[in-house]
Amino acid sequence: VQLQASGGGLVQAGESLVLSCVVSRSIGRFPAMHWYRQAPGKQRELVATITSGGITNYADSVRGRFTLSRDDAKNTVYLQMNSLKREDTAVYYCNAGTIGGRVFLPWGQGTLVTVSS
């Protein structure tokens, strides 16, 4: 199974980006889909989760600014990121896993988001 994340780029603080993650297998078979991020020098952290039933959960640092959605017909999950801050700068990765955040698949390359002030 392959994970292809895209949509990253360089933006100014306060701007928005939409990340996409296309999965080479039906995402409906997984209990949940996740977006993680890893900032330079830091550990990878869970940013957002969406269950197969569409229930979402967010890290406190992004709640109210980020929105995770899914299109099962396209095997794609999206991360709408608004009001971006410098501290959102990181490589963003998607993965499939348990509702609790454990992941099932090898990590893909991720997509780099850089927020400048």
Side-chain angles (χ1 to χ4, degrees), residues 1-8 18-25 27 30 33-35 74-79 91-96 105-112:
V1 180
Q2 292 185 329
L3 303 161
Q4 184 65 52
S6 62
V18 180
L19 306 184
S20 300
C21 174
V22 180
V23 185
S24 61
R25 182 176 290 183
I27 61 174
F30 301 113
M33 296 295 300
H34 308 291
W35 280 98
K74 297 181 178 180
N75 294 324
T76 302
V77 291
Y78 304 96
L79 187 66
V91 179
Y92 285 71
Y93 302 88
C94 61
N95 212 316
L105 305 174
W107 294 103
Q109 290 188 335
T111 186
L112 176 62

Side-chain angles (χ1 to χ4, degrees), residues 25-76:
R25 182 176 290 183
S26 171
I27 61 174
R29 66 187 291 128
F30 301 113
M33 296 295 300
H34 308 291
W35 280 98
Y36 281 76
R37 68 185 181 188
Q38 187 167 19
K42 296 187 177 181
Q43 290 188 332
R44 191 171 289 161
E45 63 173 347
L46 179 60
V47 174
T49 296
I50 187 166
T51 70
S52 58
I55 297 172
T56 55
N57 193 38
Y58 301 93
D60 289 343
S61 58
V62 306
R63 186 174 291 115
R65 299 188 297 121
F66 289 12
T67 302
L68 178 52
S69 60
R70 59 191 291 155
D71 185 338
D72 286 22
K74 297 181 178 180
N75 294 324
T76 302

Side-chain angles (χ1 to χ4, degrees), residues 15-16 41 57 63 84 100 106 110 115:
E15 294 184 339
S16 299
N57 193 38
R63 186 174 291 115
L84 283 162
V115 184

Side-chain angles (χ1 to χ4, degrees), residues 11 13-17 65-66 81-85 88 115:
V11 297
E15 294 184 339
S16 299
L17 277 175
R65 299 188 297 121
F66 289 12
M81 306 187 296
N82 298 330
S83 303
L84 283 162
K85 304 176 181 180
D88 295 319
V115 184

